[in-house]
Amino acid sequence: MTPTRREFGTFVMAGAGAAAIPSALLGGTAVAAEPVADVTTAAAAAEVPWGGPLAPDKPLAKAYDDGAKALANVDDNPMIRWQYRVWCQTGYRSPGNAGTGQPVDQLVDPATDFVSPKGFLYRDHVRPMPAGGVRFLDNAWYFGTDFTGLVIVRTPDGLVMLDALTTPDDMRTQFLDQAAAAGLDPRDIRYVFLGHSHGDHVGGANLIRDEYAPRAKFVMGQPDAATIAAQRAELKAHKDEYTEEGYRARLARLPRRIDIEIEAYPGHTVGMKPIRIGRRTTAVAILAPGHTDGQMCVIVPVVHQGQTHKLVVWSGNDNIDNAAQYAVSADFVQGIAGQEGADAFINTHAYQGAVYSHLRALKADPSAPNPMFMGRAGVQRHIEIFGTAHRALAQRLIDGTWKAM
């Protein structure tokens, strides 16, 4: 079977109140992914371009690019500038693939970014996060690695977990064994939001449910919940093709039950639902397809310097061949973030925005600059750049000046 997309060199399966939302924010139909070839050498890539620019922009794509660039240069927030540089100028490519035939360049400084100037993503430098995770707001922590992780928010009504790492072992070593050092008790987890269905975001969910928080509610976008259910059924149907150990290991990484599914509004691809964590806390779950059909963002109350704020938690980003849908979803998330007054932002892939370097700086010195706390205007601009960049990417695909991955 031909894979429909690739994530950084590894094939993967493809997969507030609503009344106040302007109709212009609601989306259309997702763009189908095209099959791609498995290219493993620079020479082969020159014959079969892997992804990225093929020719100069035509006028409309250039106008979108210019708009995103202007927004990125309003201030020097490094996360916001990263949005423009990667999505508008480079796109992602694996170092094992020379993209459109251009030479593979090297990282400038792996301590500050894993994406080279020409857009090649290097994962060889990924490390676990410092012991005890990183507290990046008064009541919010990041656990995991420089590449992917989970966010924990301590609310007055219990803990909220956002994403669940790659395997049960990762959950144990990267979070559970370190939670006490951060003053957290996993038994206090009340809700687990799974941002999308890829294995590096859901693999530890069953361990949390089975051993620590059996009454926690698990939340996922409806299309991805269906994907997980189908994967479990497929695995069970082919159980005899695996060793017992292999079968159980695979099954353990697929969430057994999703309690709350976030559905699209009728006739649209996006949707949202307020989730009441408890008497004093409400989160907003937003179905925002792009990376997968059921990708979900969450806005959750946080505390920063003793004051209440709102944090946008985004789960994943890449999928240039779905750029048109991503632009629609970004507009939708931006609208809800504005209504909610969101003023902080983090992606559970900490290499995106080079967030891992800022997390490490905050671990070493809590008074270090915190680009994740952007202010309301910063969050709006951050999401706007992402949406505008994907409008540029979608137009480039139409124009034939870029090739999707």
Side-chain angles (χ1 to χ4, degrees):
M1 182 176 70
T2 303
T4 57
R5 60 178 298 275
R6 167 191 281 255
E7 185 176 73
F8 310 128
T10 302
F11 285 119
V12 295
M13 294 187 66
I21 300 169
S23 61
L25 297 176
L26 298 176
T29 303
V31 178
E34 297 180 358
V36 297
D38 183 10
V39 182
T40 56
T41 67
E47 298 175 6
V48 184
W50 174 241
L54 298 167
D57 281 342
K58 293 184 178 181
L60 182 53
K62 184 179 185 303
Y64 286 135
D65 185 285
D66 289 345
K69 183 177 183 179
L71 290 166
N73 288 331
V74 168
D75 61 24
D76 60 356
N77 184 300
M79 284 177 59
I80 295 177
R81 291 196 169 193
W82 192 97
Q83 285 279 76
Y84 169 75
R85 178 176 73 83
V86 169
W87 297 115
C88 270
Q89 293 186 304
T90 64
Y92 286 128
R93 292 183 289 283
S94 164
N97 301 280
T100 54
Q102 64 191 119
V104 177
D105 62 339
Q106 300 299 310
L107 290 177
V108 174
D109 180 4
T112 60
D113 198 352
F114 292 151
V115 181
S116 73
K118 290 186 177 178
F120 293 94
L121 174 66
Y122 288 81
R123 300 178 62 171
D124 296 344
H125 304 278
V126 171
R127 299 165 292 172
M129 274 286 125
V134 178
R135 187 177 187 174
F136 63 95
L137 297 169
D138 291 1
N139 67 331
W141 291 257
Y142 178 93
F143 292 87
T145 72
D146 292 339
F147 191 76
T148 190
L150 61 81
V151 170
I152 290 285
V153 177
R154 181 163 55 197
T155 79
D157 298 294
L159 298 180
V160 174
M161 173 180 283
L162 301 115
D163 279 354
L165 301 175
T166 305
T167 68
D169 284 346
D170 288 341
M171 179 61 75
R172 199 173 297 282
T173 60
Q174 295 174 17
F175 171 62
L176 295 170
D177 292 349
Q178 301 185 44
L184 302 170
D185 186 343
R187 294 171 296 184
D188 292 336
I189 295 171
R190 297 293 178 261
Y191 279 79
V192 178
F193 292 86
L194 300 173
H196 68 273
S197 58
H198 290 162
D200 55 339
H201 295 259
V202 303
N206 288 333
L207 177 61
I208 292 297
R209 187 192 292 275
D210 292 345
E211 296 189 18
Y212 292 89
R215 290 183 290 180
K217 301 294 185 183
F218 286 68
V219 186
M220 181 178 262
Q222 187 277 327
D224 278 16
T227 294
I228 292 290
Q231 289 174 343
R232 287 183 63 89
E234 179 75 7
L235 181 61
K236 290 178 179 179
H238 296 275
K239 178 179 179 180
D240 57 356
E241 298 177 12
Y242 301 92
T243 65
E244 183 65 22
E245 181 181 6
Y247 169 75
R248 290 186 178 278
R250 286 168 172 80
L251 196 62
R253 295 196 295 268
L254 294 170
R256 187 168 52 257
R257 187 177 81 243
I258 302 300
D259 302 289
I260 300 172
E261 298 180 5
I262 309 305
E263 299 181 355
Y265 295 135
H268 299 284
T269 56
V270 296
M272 61 84 74
K273 182 180 180 65
I275 304 293
R276 190 168 184 180
I277 307 301
R279 184 171 57 86
R280 293 164 292 181
T281 310
T282 299
V284 178
I286 308 167
L287 180 66
H291 191 57
T292 64
D293 290 342
Q295 182 177 1
M296 178 179 67
C297 300
V298 182
I299 301 176
V300 60
V302 292
V303 178
H304 180 63
Q305 298 178 351
Q307 300 296 316
T308 300
H309 297 273
K310 296 287 185 69
L311 172 68
V312 178
V313 182
W314 200 292
S315 174
N317 263 352
D318 75 301
N319 198 356
I320 291 175
D321 51 2
N322 212 14
Q325 174 60 56
Y326 241 148
V328 168
S329 294
D331 289 349
F332 185 62
V333 175
Q334 184 184 15
I336 296 175
Q339 290 176 177
E340 290 292 313
D343 48 12
F345 186 103
I346 193 170
N347 194 312
T348 53
H349 271 304
Y351 76 90
Q352 293 190 353
V355 169
Y356 70 92
S357 63
H358 307 297
L359 290 169
R360 289 181 175 277
L362 286 168
K363 182 73 173 185
D365 177 8
S367 67
N370 186 347
M372 289 157 283
F373 185 73
M374 301 175 177
R376 294 186 182 187
V379 168
Q380 288 291 295
R381 190 158 47 89
H382 188 63
I383 301 172
E384 175 69 22
I385 291 168
F386 184 74
T388 302
H390 280 75
R391 278 183 278 278
L393 292 170
Q395 189 60 43
R396 287 160 170 165
L397 297 181
I398 292 170
D399 293 341
T401 57
W402 276 51
K403 181 177 177 63
M405 294 190 221

